[in-house]
Amino acid sequence: MKPVRFVAIAVALFTISSTSFAATEISKSESSGLKNMGNINVIQNMEDIHENDISRKADAAGADYYVINTAGSIGNGSNSIISATIFAKNK
């Protein structure tokens, strides 16, 4: 019983710690009052792009939140781009 409880606690802590530091997508209206940190872009193969990629890039820039401005294909359609504005909490 103790090993099962330990595994459950470890999984819960990992889930909390891995998600608590990721930038979160918000709406444009929710961004009012936050510090605008600029814009970021993610360009990848159409099959490989994920929302997590923009979240990781925003997180790496020190942002807490991001608002996706545009998403679409570029070139011959095999690549895609997501453009977002990143924000930080006012401290």
Side-chain angles (χ1 to χ4, degrees):
M1 187 70 162
K2 286 184 181 181
V4 172
R5 187 178 303 162
F6 175 76
V7 170
I9 291 170
V11 168
L13 288 175
F14 175 76
T15 302
I16 292 168
S17 66
S18 66
T19 59
S20 64
F21 297 106
T24 304
E25 182 180 6
I26 59 173
S27 68
K28 189 171 182 174
S29 63
E30 292 174 304
S31 69
S32 65
L34 298 174
K35 180 183 174 189
N36 186 324
M37 298 178 64
N39 295 306
I40 57 173
N41 296 309
V42 173
I43 301 171
Q44 290 184 343
N45 182 295
M46 197 72 145
E47 297 173 1
D48 295 334
I49 198 158
H50 300 286
E51 186 177 322
N52 290 339
D53 298 328
I54 200 88
S55 177
R56 277 193 288 272
K57 193 165 185 177
D59 192 48
D64 298 303
Y65 306 102
Y66 63 94
V67 174
I68 293 178
N69 301 319
T70 59
S73 62
I74 57 174
N76 63 3
S78 63
N79 290 321
S80 61
I81 182 170
I82 295 178
S83 174
T85 304
I86 56 176
F87 297 91
K89 296 175 186 172
N90 288 320
K91 296 178 182 179

Coordinates of all heavy atoms in Angstrom, one line a residue:
M1 N 0.8 -1.2 0.0 CA 0.0 0.0 0.0 C 0.9 1.3 0.0 O 0.6 2.2 -0.7 CB -0.9 0.0 1.2 CG -1.9 1.1 1.2 SD -3.1 0.8 0.0 CE -4.4 1.9 0.5
K2 N 2.0 1.2 0.7 CA 2.8 2.4 0.8 C 3.5 2.7 -0.6 O 3.5 3.9 -0.9 CB 3.9 2.2 1.9 CG 3.4 2.4 3.3 CD 4.5 2.3 4.3 CE 3.9 2.4 5.7 NZ 4.9 2.3 6.7
P3 N 3.9 1.7 -1.3 CA 4.5 2.1 -2.7 C 3.5 2.7 -3.6 O 3.8 3.6 -4.3 CB 4.9 0.7 -3.2 CG 5.2 -0.1 -2.0 CD 4.2 0.3 -1.0
V4 N 2.2 2.3 -3.5 CA 1.2 2.9 -4.4 C 1.0 4.4 -4.0 O 0.8 5.2 -4.8 CB -0.1 2.1 -4.3 CG1 -1.3 2.8 -5.0 CG2 0.1 0.7 -4.8
R5 N 0.9 4.6 -2.7 CA 0.7 6.0 -2.2 C 1.9 6.8 -2.6 O 1.7 8.0 -3.0 CB 0.6 5.9 -0.6 CG 0.2 7.3 -0.1 CD 0.0 7.3 1.4 NE -1.0 6.4 1.8 CZ -1.2 5.9 3.0 NH1 -0.4 6.3 4.0 NH2 -2.2 5.0 3.3
F6 N 3.1 6.3 -2.5 CA 4.3 7.1 -2.8 C 4.3 7.4 -4.3 O 4.6 8.6 -4.7 CB 5.6 6.3 -2.5 CG 6.8 6.9 -3.0 CD1 7.4 8.0 -2.3 CD2 7.4 6.5 -4.2 CE1 8.5 8.6 -2.8 CE2 8.6 7.1 -4.6 CZ 9.1 8.2 -3.9
V7 N 3.9 6.5 -5.2 CA 3.8 6.7 -6.6 C 2.8 7.8 -6.9 O 3.0 8.7 -7.7 CB 3.5 5.4 -7.4 CG1 3.2 5.7 -8.8 CG2 4.7 4.5 -7.3
A8 N 1.6 7.7 -6.3 CA 0.5 8.7 -6.5 C 1.0 10.1 -6.1 O 0.7 11.1 -6.8 CB -0.7 8.3 -5.7
I9 N 1.7 10.2 -5.0 CA 2.2 11.5 -4.5 C 3.2 12.0 -5.5 O 3.3 13.2 -5.8 CB 2.7 11.4 -3.1 CG1 1.6 11.2 -2.1 CG2 3.5 12.7 -2.7 CD1 2.0 10.8 -0.7
A10 N 4.1 11.2 -5.9 CA 5.2 11.6 -6.9 C 4.6 12.1 -8.2 O 5.0 13.1 -8.7 CB 6.1 10.4 -7.1
V11 N 3.6 11.4 -8.7 CA 2.9 11.8 -9.9 C 2.2 13.1 -9.7 O 2.3 14.0 -10.6 CB 1.9 10.7 -10.4 CG1 1.0 11.2 -11.5 CG2 2.7 9.5 -10.9
A12 N 1.6 13.3 -8.6 CA 0.9 14.6 -8.4 C 1.9 15.7 -8.3 O 1.7 16.8 -8.8 CB 0.1 14.5 -7.1
L13 N 3.0 15.5 -7.6 CA 4.0 16.6 -7.5 C 4.6 16.9 -8.8 O 4.9 18.1 -9.1 CB 5.1 16.2 -6.5 CG 4.7 16.2 -5.0 CD1 5.8 15.6 -4.1 CD2 4.3 17.6 -4.6
F14 N 4.9 15.9 -9.6 CA 5.5 16.1 -10.9 C 4.5 16.9 -11.8 O 4.9 17.8 -12.5 CB 5.8 14.8 -11.6 CG 6.3 15.0 -13.0 CD1 7.5 15.4 -13.3 CD2 5.4 14.7 -14.1 CE1 8.0 15.6 -14.6 CE2 5.8 14.9 -15.4 CZ 7.1 15.3 -15.6
T15 N 3.2 16.5 -11.8 CA 2.2 17.3 -12.5 C 2.1 18.7 -12.1 O 2.1 19.6 -13.0 CB 0.9 16.6 -12.4 OG1 1.0 15.2 -12.8 CG2 -0.2 17.3 -13.2
I16 N 2.1 19.0 -10.8 CA 2.1 20.3 -10.3 C 3.3 21.1 -10.7 O 3.2 22.2 -11.2 CB 1.8 20.4 -8.8 CG1 0.5 19.8 -8.5 CG2 2.1 21.8 -8.3 CD1 0.3 19.5 -7.0
S17 N 4.5 20.5 -10.5 CA 5.7 21.2 -10.8 C 5.9 21.5 -12.3 O 6.5 22.5 -12.7 CB 6.9 20.5 -10.2 OG 7.1 19.3 -10.8
S18 N 5.5 20.5 -13.1 CA 5.8 20.7 -14.6 C 4.8 21.7 -15.2 O 5.1 22.2 -16.2 CB 5.7 19.3 -15.3 OG 4.4 18.8 -15.2
T19 N 3.6 21.9 -14.6 CA 2.7 22.8 -15.2 C 2.7 24.1 -14.5 O 2.2 25.1 -15.1 CB 1.2 22.2 -15.1 OG1 0.9 22.0 -13.8 CG2 1.1 21.0 -15.9
S20 N 3.2 24.3 -13.3 CA 3.1 25.5 -12.6 C 4.1 26.6 -13.2 O 3.9 27.7 -12.9 CB 3.4 25.3 -11.1 OG 4.7 24.8 -10.9
F21 N 5.0 26.2 -14.0 CA 6.0 27.1 -14.5 C 5.8 27.4 -16.0 O 6.5 28.2 -16.6 CB 7.4 26.6 -14.3 CG 7.7 26.5 -12.8 CD1 7.8 25.3 -12.2 CD2 7.9 27.7 -12.0 CE1 8.1 25.2 -10.8 CE2 8.2 27.6 -10.7 CZ 8.3 26.4 -10.1
A22 N 4.8 26.8 -16.6 CA 4.6 27.0 -18.0 C 3.7 28.3 -18.2 O 2.8 28.5 -17.4 CB 3.9 25.8 -18.6
A23 N 4.0 29.0 -19.3 CA 3.2 30.2 -19.6 C 1.8 29.7 -20.0 O 1.7 28.6 -20.7 CB 3.9 31.0 -20.7
T24 N 0.8 30.5 -19.7 CA -0.6 30.1 -20.0 C -1.2 31.0 -21.0 O -1.0 32.2 -21.0 CB -1.4 30.2 -18.7 OG1 -0.7 29.4 -17.6 CG2 -2.8 29.8 -18.8
E25 N -2.0 30.4 -21.9 CA -2.7 31.2 -22.9 C -3.8 31.9 -22.3 O -4.6 31.3 -21.5 CB -3.2 30.3 -24.1 CG -3.9 31.1 -25.1 CD -4.4 30.3 -26.3 OE1 -4.3 29.0 -26.2 OE2 -4.9 30.9 -27.2
I26 N -4.0 33.2 -22.6 CA -5.1 34.0 -22.1 C -5.7 34.7 -23.3 O -5.2 34.7 -24.4 CB -4.7 35.0 -21.0 CG1 -3.6 35.9 -21.5 CG2 -4.2 34.2 -19.7 CD1 -3.3 37.0 -20.6
S27 N -6.9 35.3 -23.0 CA -7.5 36.1 -24.1 C -7.0 37.5 -24.1 O -6.3 37.9 -23.1 CB -9.0 36.2 -23.9 OG -9.3 36.9 -22.7
K28 N -7.2 38.2 -25.1 CA -6.7 39.6 -25.2 C -7.2 40.5 -24.1 O -6.5 41.3 -23.5 CB -7.0 40.2 -26.6 CG -6.4 41.5 -26.8 CD -6.5 42.0 -28.3 CE -5.8 43.3 -28.5 NZ -5.8 43.7 -29.8
S29 N -8.5 40.3 -23.8 CA -9.2 41.1 -22.7 C -8.5 40.8 -21.4 O -8.5 41.6 -20.5 CB -10.7 40.9 -22.7 OG -11.0 39.5 -22.4
E30 N -8.1 39.6 -21.2 CA -7.5 39.2 -19.9 C -6.1 39.8 -19.7 O -5.5 39.8 -18.6 CB -7.4 37.7 -19.8 CG -8.7 37.0 -19.6 CD -8.6 35.5 -19.6 OE1 -8.0 34.9 -20.6 OE2 -9.0 34.8 -18.7
S31 N -5.5 40.2 -20.8 CA -4.1 40.8 -20.8 C -4.0 42.2 -20.3 O -2.9 42.7 -20.0 CB -3.5 40.7 -22.2 OG -4.1 41.6 -23.1
S32 N -5.2 42.9 -20.2 CA -5.1 44.3 -19.7 C -4.6 44.3 -18.2 O -5.0 43.4 -17.4 CB -6.5 44.9 -19.8 OG -7.4 44.3 -18.9
G33 N -3.7 45.2 -18.0 CA -3.1 45.2 -16.6 C -1.8 44.4 -16.5 O -1.2 44.5 -15.4
L34 N -1.5 43.6 -17.5 CA -0.3 42.8 -17.4 C 0.8 43.6 -18.2 O 0.6 44.4 -19.0 CB -0.5 41.4 -18.1 CG -1.5 40.6 -17.4 CD1 -1.7 39.3 -18.2 CD2 -1.1 40.2 -16.0
K35 N 2.1 43.2 -17.8 CA 3.2 43.9 -18.5 C 3.5 43.2 -19.9 O 3.8 42.0 -19.9 CB 4.5 43.7 -17.6 CG 5.7 44.3 -18.2 CD 6.9 44.1 -17.3 CE 8.2 44.6 -18.0 NZ 9.3 44.2 -17.3
N36 N 3.4 44.0 -20.9 CA 3.7 43.5 -22.3 C 5.2 43.3 -22.4 O 6.0 44.2 -22.3 CB 3.1 44.4 -23.3 CG 3.3 43.9 -24.7 OD1 4.2 43.2 -25.1 ND2 2.3 44.3 -25.6
M37 N 5.6 42.1 -22.8 CA 7.0 41.7 -22.9 C 7.4 41.6 -24.4 O 8.6 41.4 -24.7 CB 7.3 40.4 -22.2 CG 7.1 40.5 -20.7 SD 7.4 38.9 -19.9 CE 9.2 38.7 -20.2
G38 N 6.5 41.8 -25.3 CA 6.9 41.7 -26.7 C 6.2 40.6 -27.4 O 5.2 40.1 -27.0
N39 N 6.7 40.2 -28.6 CA 6.1 39.2 -29.4 C 7.1 38.0 -29.7 O 8.3 38.2 -29.7 CB 5.7 39.8 -30.8 CG 4.6 40.8 -30.7 OD1 3.6 40.5 -30.1 ND2 4.8 42.0 -31.2
I40 N 6.6 36.9 -29.8 CA 7.3 35.7 -30.2 C 6.7 35.0 -31.4 O 5.5 35.1 -31.6 CB 7.5 34.7 -29.0 CG1 6.1 34.3 -28.5 CG2 8.4 35.3 -27.9 CD1 6.2 33.2 -27.4
N41 N 7.5 34.2 -32.1 CA 7.0 33.4 -33.2 C 7.5 32.0 -33.1 O 8.6 31.8 -32.7 CB 7.4 34.0 -34.6 CG 6.8 35.4 -34.8 OD1 5.6 35.6 -34.7 ND2 7.7 36.3 -35.1
V42 N 6.7 31.1 -33.5 CA 7.1 29.7 -33.6 C 6.8 29.2 -35.0 O 5.7 29.3 -35.5 CB 6.4 28.8 -32.6 CG1 6.8 27.3 -32.8 CG2 6.8 29.1 -31.2
I43 N 7.9 28.8 -35.7 CA 7.7 28.3 -37.1 C 8.2 26.9 -37.1 O 9.3 26.6 -36.7 CB 8.5 29.1 -38.1 CG1 8.1 30.6 -38.1 CG2 8.4 28.6 -39.5 CD1 9.0 31.5 -38.9
Q44 N 7.3 26.0 -37.6 CA 7.7 24.5 -37.6 C 6.9 23.8 -38.7 O 6.0 24.4 -39.3 CB 7.3 23.9 -36.3 CG 8.2 24.3 -35.1 CD 7.8 23.5 -33.9 OE1 6.8 22.9 -33.8 NE2 8.7 23.5 -32.9
N45 N 7.4 22.6 -38.9 CA 6.7 21.8 -39.9 C 5.2 21.6 -39.4 O 4.9 21.5 -38.3 CB 7.3 20.4 -39.9 CG 6.7 19.5 -40.9 OD1 5.5 19.1 -40.8 ND2 7.4 19.1 -41.9
M46 N 4.3 21.7 -40.4 CA 2.9 21.7 -40.1 C 2.5 20.6 -39.2 O 1.6 20.7 -38.3 CB 2.1 21.7 -41.4 CG 0.7 22.1 -41.2 SD 0.6 23.9 -40.9 CE -0.9 24.2 -41.8
E47 N 3.1 19.4 -39.3 CA 2.7 18.2 -38.6 C 3.3 18.3 -37.2 O 2.8 17.6 -36.3 CB 3.2 17.0 -39.3 CG 2.6 16.8 -40.6 CD 3.2 15.6 -41.4 OE1 4.1 15.0 -40.9 OE2 2.8 15.4 -42.5
D48 N 4.3 19.1 -36.9 CA 5.0 19.0 -35.6 C 4.6 20.2 -34.7 O 5.0 20.1 -33.5 CB 6.5 19.1 -35.8 CG 7.0 17.9 -36.6 OD1 6.4 16.8 -36.5 OD2 8.0 18.0 -37.3
I49 N 3.9 21.2 -35.1 CA 3.6 22.3 -34.3 C 2.5 22.0 -33.2 O 1.5 21.4 -33.5 CB 3.3 23.6 -35.1 CG1 3.5 24.8 -34.2 CG2 1.9 23.5 -35.7 CD1 3.7 26.0 -35.0
H50 N 2.8 22.4 -32.0 CA 1.8 22.2 -30.9 C 1.7 23.5 -30.1 O 2.7 24.3 -30.1 CB 2.3 21.1 -30.0 CG 2.4 19.8 -30.7 ND1 1.4 19.0 -31.1 CD2 3.5 19.1 -31.2 CE1 1.8 17.9 -31.7 NE2 3.1 18.0 -31.8
E51 N 0.6 23.7 -29.4 CA 0.5 24.8 -28.6 C 1.5 24.9 -27.5 O 1.9 25.9 -27.0 CB -0.9 24.8 -28.0 CG -1.3 26.1 -27.2 CD -2.7 26.1 -26.7 OE1 -3.6 25.6 -27.3 OE2 -2.8 26.5 -25.5
N52 N 2.0 23.7 -27.0 CA 3.0 23.6 -26.0 C 4.3 24.3 -26.4 O 5.0 24.8 -25.6 CB 3.3 22.2 -25.6 CG 2.1 21.5 -24.9 OD1 1.3 22.2 -24.3 ND2 2.1 20.2 -24.9
D53 N 4.6 24.3 -27.8 CA 5.8 24.9 -28.2 C 5.8 26.4 -28.0 O 6.8 27.0 -27.6 CB 6.0 24.7 -29.7 CG 6.1 23.2 -30.0 OD1 6.7 22.5 -29.2 OD2 5.7 22.8 -31.1
I54 N 4.6 27.1 -28.2 CA 4.5 28.5 -28.0 C 4.6 28.8 -26.4 O 5.2 29.7 -26.0 CB 3.3 29.1 -28.6 CG1 3.4 30.6 -28.8 CG2 2.0 28.8 -27.9 CD1 4.1 31.1 -30.0
S55 N 4.0 27.9 -25.7 CA 4.0 28.0 -24.2 C 5.5 27.9 -23.7 O 5.9 28.7 -22.9 CB 3.2 27.0 -23.5 OG 3.2 27.1 -22.1
R56 N 6.2 27.0 -24.2 CA 7.6 26.8 -23.8 C 8.5 28.0 -24.2 O 9.3 28.4 -23.4 CB 8.2 25.5 -24.4 CG 7.9 24.3 -23.6 CD 8.7 23.1 -24.1 NE 8.3 22.6 -25.4 CZ 7.4 21.7 -25.6 NH1 6.8 21.2 -24.6 NH2 7.1 21.3 -26.9
K57 N 8.2 28.5 -25.4 CA 9.0 29.7 -25.8 C 8.7 30.9 -25.0 O 9.6 31.7 -24.6 CB 8.8 30.0 -27.3 CG 9.7 30.9 -27.9 CD 9.7 30.9 -29.4 CE 10.8 31.8 -30.0 NZ 10.9 31.8 -31.4
A58 N 7.4 31.1 -24.7 CA 7.0 32.2 -23.8 C 7.6 32.0 -22.4 O 8.1 33.0 -21.8 CB 5.5 32.3 -23.7
D59 N 7.6 30.8 -21.9 CA 8.1 30.5 -20.6 C 9.7 30.8 -20.6 O 10.2 31.4 -19.6 CB 7.8 29.1 -20.2 CG 8.1 28.8 -18.8 OD1 7.7 29.5 -17.9 OD2 8.8 27.7 -18.5
A60 N 10.3 30.4 -21.6 CA 11.8 30.6 -21.7 C 12.1 32.1 -21.7 O 13.2 32.5 -21.3 CB 12.4 30.0 -23.0
A61 N 11.2 33.0 -22.2 CA 11.4 34.4 -22.3 C 11.0 35.1 -20.9 O 11.2 36.3 -20.8 CB 10.6 35.0 -23.4
G62 N 10.6 34.3 -20.0 CA 10.2 34.8 -18.7 C 8.8 35.2 -18.6 O 8.4 35.9 -17.6
A63 N 8.0 34.9 -19.5 CA 6.5 35.3 -19.5 C 5.7 34.4 -18.7 O 6.0 33.2 -18.6 CB 6.0 35.4 -21.0
D64 N 4.6 34.9 -18.2 CA 3.6 34.1 -17.4 C 2.5 33.8 -18.3 O 1.8 32.7 -18.1 CB 3.1 34.9 -16.2 CG 4.2 35.3 -15.2 OD1 4.9 34.3 -14.8 OD2 4.4 36.5 -15.0
Y65 N 2.2 34.6 -19.3 CA 1.0 34.4 -20.2 C 1.3 34.8 -21.6 O 2.3 35.5 -21.9 CB -0.1 35.4 -19.7 CG -0.5 35.2 -18.3 CD1 -0.1 36.2 -17.3 CD2 -1.3 34.2 -17.8 CE1 -0.4 36.0 -16.0 CE2 -1.6 34.0 -16.5 CZ -1.2 35.0 -15.6 OH -1.5 34.8 -14.2
Y66 N 0.5 34.3 -22.5 CA 0.6 34.7 -23.9 C -0.8 34.8 -24.6 O -1.7 34.1 -24.1 CB 1.5 33.7 -24.7 CG 1.0 32.3 -24.8 CD1 0.3 31.9 -25.9 CD2 1.3 31.4 -23.7 CE1 -0.2 30.6 -25.9 CE2 0.8 30.1 -23.8 CZ 0.1 29.7 -24.9 OH -0.4 28.4 -25.0
V67 N -0.9 35.6 -25.6 CA -2.1 35.7 -26.4 C -1.7 35.4 -27.8 O -0.8 36.1 -28.4 CB -2.7 37.2 -26.3 CG1 -3.9 37.3 -27.3 CG2 -3.1 37.5 -24.9
I68 N -2.3 34.4 -28.4 CA -2.0 34.1 -29.8 C -2.7 35.1 -30.7 O -3.9 35.4 -30.6 CB -2.5 32.7 -30.2 CG1 -1.7 31.6 -29.4 CG2 -2.4 32.4 -31.7 CD1 -2.1 30.2 -29.6
N69 N -1.8 35.7 -31.5 CA -2.3 36.8 -32.5 C -2.7 36.2 -33.8 O -3.8 36.5 -34.3 CB -1.3 37.8 -32.7 CG -0.9 38.5 -31.4 OD1 -1.7 38.8 -30.5 ND2 0.4 38.7 -31.2
T70 N -1.8 35.4 -34.4 CA -2.1 34.8 -35.7 C -1.5 33.4 -35.7 O -0.6 33.0 -35.0 CB -1.4 35.6 -36.8 OG1 0.0 35.6 -36.6 CG2 -2.0 37.0 -36.9
A71 N -2.2 32.6 -36.5 CA -1.7 31.2 -36.8 C -2.0 30.9 -38.2 O -3.1 31.2 -38.7 CB -2.3 30.2 -35.8
G72 N -1.1 30.3 -38.9 CA -1.3 30.0 -40.3 C -0.2 29.3 -41.0 O 0.8 29.0 -40.3
S73 N -0.3 29.0 -42.2 CA 0.7 28.3 -43.0 C 1.5 29.3 -43.8 O 1.1 30.4 -44.1 CB 0.1 27.2 -43.9 OG -0.7 27.8 -44.9
I74 N 2.8 28.9 -44.0 CA 3.7 29.8 -44.8 C 4.4 28.9 -45.8 O 4.4 27.7 -45.8 CB 4.7 30.5 -43.9 CG1 5.5 29.4 -43.1 CG2 4.1 31.5 -43.0 CD1 6.7 30.0 -42.3
G75 N 5.0 29.6 -46.8 CA 5.6 28.9 -47.8 C 4.7 28.1 -48.7 O 3.6 28.5 -49.1
N76 N 5.0 26.8 -49.0 CA 4.2 26.0 -49.8 C 3.1 25.3 -49.0 O 2.5 24.4 -49.5 CB 5.0 24.9 -50.5 CG 5.8 24.0 -49.6 OD1 5.6 24.1 -48.4 ND2 6.6 23.1 -50.1
G77 N 2.9 25.7 -47.7 CA 1.9 25.1 -46.9 C 2.3 24.0 -46.0 O 1.6 23.5 -45.2
S78 N 3.6 23.6 -46.1 CA 4.1 22.5 -45.3 C 4.6 23.1 -43.9 O 4.8 22.3 -43.0 CB 5.2 21.8 -46.0 OG 6.3 22.6 -46.2
N79 N 4.8 24.4 -43.8 CA 5.2 25.0 -42.5 C 4.1 25.8 -42.0 O 3.3 26.4 -42.7 CB 6.5 25.8 -42.7 CG 7.7 24.9 -43.0 OD1 7.9 23.9 -42.4 ND2 8.5 25.4 -43.9
S80 N 4.1 26.0 -40.7 CA 3.1 26.9 -40.0 C 3.8 27.8 -39.1 O 5.0 27.6 -38.6 CB 2.1 26.0 -39.3 OG 2.7 25.3 -38.3
I81 N 3.2 28.9 -38.8 CA 3.7 29.9 -37.9 C 2.6 30.3 -36.9 O 1.4 30.4 -37.3 CB 4.2 31.2 -38.7 CG1 4.8 32.2 -37.7 CG2 3.1 31.8 -39.5 CD1 5.5 33.3 -38.4
I82 N 3.0 30.5 -35.7 CA 2.1 31.0 -34.6 C 2.8 32.2 -34.1 O 4.0 32.2 -33.7 CB 1.9 30.0 -33.5 CG1 1.1 28.8 -34.0 CG2 1.1 30.7 -32.4 CD1 0.9 27.7 -33.0
S83 N 2.1 33.4 -34.1 CA 2.6 34.6 -33.5 C 1.9 34.9 -32.3 O 0.6 34.8 -32.3 CB 2.5 35.7 -34.5 OG 2.9 37.0 -34.0
A84 N 2.6 35.3 -31.2 CA 1.9 35.6 -29.9 C 2.5 36.8 -29.2 O 3.7 37.0 -29.4 CB 2.0 34.4 -29.0
T85 N 1.8 37.5 -28.4 CA 2.3 38.5 -27.6 C 2.4 37.9 -26.2 O 1.5 37.2 -25.7 CB 1.3 39.7 -27.5 OG1 1.1 40.2 -28.9 CG2 1.9 40.8 -26.7
I86 N 3.5 38.2 -25.5 CA 3.8 37.6 -24.2 C 3.7 38.6 -23.1 O 4.0 39.8 -23.4 CB 5.1 36.8 -24.2 CG1 6.3 37.8 -24.5 CG2 5.1 35.6 -25.1 CD1 7.7 37.1 -24.4
F87 N 3.2 38.2 -22.0 CA 3.0 39.1 -20.9 C 3.5 38.5 -19.6 O 3.6 37.3 -19.4 CB 1.5 39.3 -20.7 CG 0.8 39.9 -21.9 CD1 0.3 39.2 -22.9 CD2 0.7 41.3 -22.0 CE1 -0.3 39.7 -24.0 CE2 0.1 41.9 -23.0 CZ -0.4 41.1 -24.1
A88 N 3.8 39.4 -18.6 CA 4.3 39.0 -17.3 C 3.3 39.7 -16.3 O 2.7 40.7 -16.6 CB 5.7 39.5 -17.1
K89 N 3.3 39.1 -15.1 CA 2.5 39.6 -14.0 C 3.2 40.9 -13.6 O 4.4 41.0 -13.6 CB 2.4 38.7 -12.9 CG 1.7 37.4 -13.1 CD 1.8 36.5 -12.0 CE 1.2 35.1 -12.3 NZ 1.5 34.1 -11.2
N90 N 2.4 41.9 -13.3 CA 3.0 43.1 -12.7 C 3.4 42.8 -11.3 O 2.6 42.3 -10.5 CB 2.0 44.3 -12.7 CG 1.8 44.8 -14.1 OD1 2.7 44.9 -14.9 ND2 0.6 45.1 -14.5
K91 N 4.6 43.1 -11.0 CA 5.1 42.8 -9.6 C 5.3 44.0 -8.8 O 5.5 45.1 -9.2 CB 6.4 42.0 -9.7 CG 6.2 40.7 -10.4 CD 7.4 39.9 -10.6 CE 7.0 38.6 -11.3 NZ 8.0 37.8 -11.6

